[in-house]
């Protein structure tokens, strides 16, 4: 098994956050390109106004071209630090708990939110989530 993150861009978020919590949306996928082509660009755009959000995508040995698509179509998000992409190679079947644990290890946020490949966050969800954690108990 090999995991290779494209870059751990979330570290920059942590430094810029000034002690505020960072939310990491963690998505794991094996051959879910057809879903991510719709959901990932929308989720990134809907939450781009929140500097405290990062999206972590773990490709769990996909064979459907997911890695190539992410590198070509999501490059700007990776360079900007809002998307962290990692690949786990050598798996022939999807092990949900293992994949999620791997994504959580890559995430830099103190708030971890699992997000399935076919789920939409909706506009502003990252900001809403951070605000809920900042409310006094």
């Amino acid at each position: 098994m090999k995991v290779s993150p494209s870059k751990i861009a979330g570290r920059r978020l942590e430094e810029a956050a000034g002690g505020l919590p960072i939310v990491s949306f963690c998505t794991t996928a094996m051959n879910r390109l057809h879903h991510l082509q719709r959901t990932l660009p929308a989720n990134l755009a809907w939450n781009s106004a929140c500097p405290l959000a990062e999206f972590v995508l773990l490709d769990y040995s996909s064979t459907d071209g997911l890695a190539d698509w992410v590198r070509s179509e999501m490059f700007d998000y990776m360079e900007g630090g809002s998307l962290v992409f990692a690949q786990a190679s050598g798996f022939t079947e999807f092990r949900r708990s293992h994949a999620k644990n791997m994504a959580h290890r890559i995430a830099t946020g103190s708030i971890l939110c699992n997000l399935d490949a076919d789920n939409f966050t909706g506009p502003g969800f990252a900001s809403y989530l951070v605000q809920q954690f900042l409310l006094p108990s």
Side-chain angles (χ1 to χ4, degrees), residues 16-124:
L20 294 173
I22 294 169
V23 60
S24 297
F25 292 99
C26 299
T27 302
T28 59
M30 182 182 225
N31 298 322
R32 302 291 297 275
L33 174 61
H34 62 288
H35 287 130
L36 287 164
Q37 286 175 319
R38 291 190 341 251
T39 59
L40 188 58
N43 289 336
L44 285 161
W46 280 332
N47 293 283
S48 63
C50 182
L52 302 172
E54 74 173 352
F55 286 78
V56 175
L57 174 58
L58 176 70
D59 176 0
Y60 201 76
S61 301
S62 293
T63 58
D64 63 353
L66 176 60
D68 292 336
W69 177 80
V70 169
R71 287 190 190 103
S72 68
E73 301 300 319
M74 300 288 105
F75 179 80
D76 290 342
Y77 290 106
M78 289 189 295
E79 281 296 303
S82 57
L83 176 62
V84 178
F85 177 64
Q87 287 183 275
S89 58
F91 297 100
T92 56
E93 59 185 53
F94 189 67
R95 294 173 32 208
R96 183 181 338 277
S97 296
H98 183 244
K100 287 182 181 187
N101 283 328
M102 292 173 76
H104 291 171
R105 287 193 63 152
I106 295 165
T108 62
S110 56
I111 303 168
L112 302 177
C113 181
N114 288 322
L115 186 64
D116 288 345
D118 59 347
N119 289 166
F120 292 97
T121 63

